[in-house]
Amino acid sequence: MLPRHAAPATQPVPDPEAIRLLPDGGLLWTDEGDPGRGFGTSLVRTDATGRQIARWFYAFKDKDGRPGLRSNFGFEGLAVTPDGQQAWLALEAPLRQDGPRASAATAGAPVRISLVSLDDGRLLRQIAYQPDAVPAASWALPQREVNGISEILPDGPDHLLVLERSYSPGHGFGARLYRIGLQAPDTLAMDSFMRNPPQVAAKQLIADLSTVQRGRLDNMEAMSWGPPLPDGTRVLVFASDDNFNPAQANQILVTAYRPSTPCAP
């Protein structure tokens, strides 16, 4: 695979983030995109052998036709609906036209989570999700503070689990798991959240993973269901991305998730 600086102008360089197995045995995966080179974030569908069937790009342009994606903050979360016909796609951070990213000083603007058809990639609807502010301020490098969506999972037909992953230089990584309702108003037709702030999805804190993991928590970016357990709970697995950095670690957390009551409107 060619690095971005050496790739032809017409060739996207994959930056995969989430991957899911479809009921037909095929695969679905997300690419964060490369807005600096003109490629929006994308969703890729393949058959069971990995052969590409379809790839859909999304630029999320503003009202003036400019791409609204921030570099390295495209589709990060992917959740296939129970019927396998649609998927929810979560950006990691707000679009430029929606407002600032989260920092220690502010929670920033809401992030868009979009429902797409797996037949043609068409956007069907969209909800707004409000991430937390970065839990700890960095005195040295505040511009590198980050908090956003790193993964999502379906929790029945009307709810999603949302994993927020944070980082602050000098303090390290954090991760919190939330449960949200999907009944929030549709924001698909809204070109900017700054001019017309949306009603965001109701969220319920399920767990702070820093209290689950013994020792330092790393860069949690993956989440998947495991099998049900005899006591009515279900296995929920988390995994980290070490970014090929020897100072980081690959971590896999195996937890038990107890079904919760619905989120209030």
Side-chain angles (χ1 to χ4, degrees):
M1 184 186 301
L2 290 173
R4 290 182 178 181
H5 69 270
T10 57
Q11 177 182 323
V13 177
D15 183 10
E17 288 296 342
I19 188 168
R20 300 293 180 199
L21 181 66
L22 293 170
D24 64 2
L27 296 172
L28 200 64
W29 58 275
T30 62
D31 188 313
E32 277 208 297
D34 187 2
R37 296 179 58 240
F39 296 102
T41 190
S42 64
L43 177 66
V44 182
R45 183 169 187 168
T46 77
D47 63 17
T49 70
R51 181 181 62 86
Q52 182 172 306
I53 297 173
R55 183 170 189 166
W56 302 293
F57 288 91
Y58 306 86
F60 294 109
K61 294 180 180 180
D62 64 18
K63 68 179 184 65
D64 297 318
R66 296 169 298 198
L69 284 171
R70 286 180 159 94
S71 181
N72 204 37
F73 290 102
F75 288 147
E76 190 87 10
L78 171 61
V80 179
T81 57
D83 62 8
Q85 301 301 306
Q86 300 166 347
W88 288 96
L89 295 164
L91 297 172
E92 183 178 357
L95 298 173
R96 294 184 184 278
Q97 63 264 33
D98 289 340
R101 293 193 295 111
S103 67
T106 174
V111 176
R112 298 181 187 240
I113 303 178
S114 305
L115 181 68
V116 305
S117 165
L118 296 185
D119 288 330
D120 55 12
R122 179 170 47 94
L123 293 175
L124 302 173
R125 68 181 296 258
Q126 190 180 79
I127 60 174
Y129 175 85
Q130 180 60 63
D132 297 341
V134 177
S138 172
W139 63 270
L141 296 167
Q143 69 274 16
R144 292 189 61 195
E145 295 170 354
V146 67
N147 186 55
I149 298 174
S150 66
E151 188 56 285
I152 57 176
L153 268 183
D155 186 14
D158 301 317
H159 296 84
L160 288 177
L161 295 184
V162 178
L163 183 62
E164 289 189 27
R165 183 273 326 277
S166 63
Y167 175 74
S168 181
H171 298 278
F173 293 97
R176 291 175 177 171
L177 180 66
Y178 287 95
R179 186 173 190 255
I180 69 169
L182 296 174
Q183 302 83 9
D186 189 355
T187 61
L188 191 57
M190 298 177 66
D191 61 6
S192 172
F193 290 168
M194 287 193 287
R195 287 188 293 274
N196 186 21
Q199 179 181 330
V200 299
K203 59 189 282 191
Q204 172 190 3
L205 179 64
I206 301 298
D208 184 336
L209 296 193
S210 64
T211 66
V212 176
Q213 162 68 10
R214 294 187 178 91
R216 186 190 69 177
L217 190 72
D218 214 281
N219 180 30
M220 288 294 158
E221 289 201 339
M223 181 169 61
S224 181
W225 288 118
L229 299 174
D231 64 355
T233 62
R234 189 174 181 183
V235 172
L236 180 58
V237 181
F238 302 89
S240 68
D241 176 3
D242 67 0
N243 294 307
F244 303 103
N245 184 346
Q248 292 182 236
N250 283 132
Q251 294 174 332
I252 298 177
L253 305 183
V254 182
T255 68
Y257 175 76
R258 182 173 291 107
S260 181
T261 56
C263 294

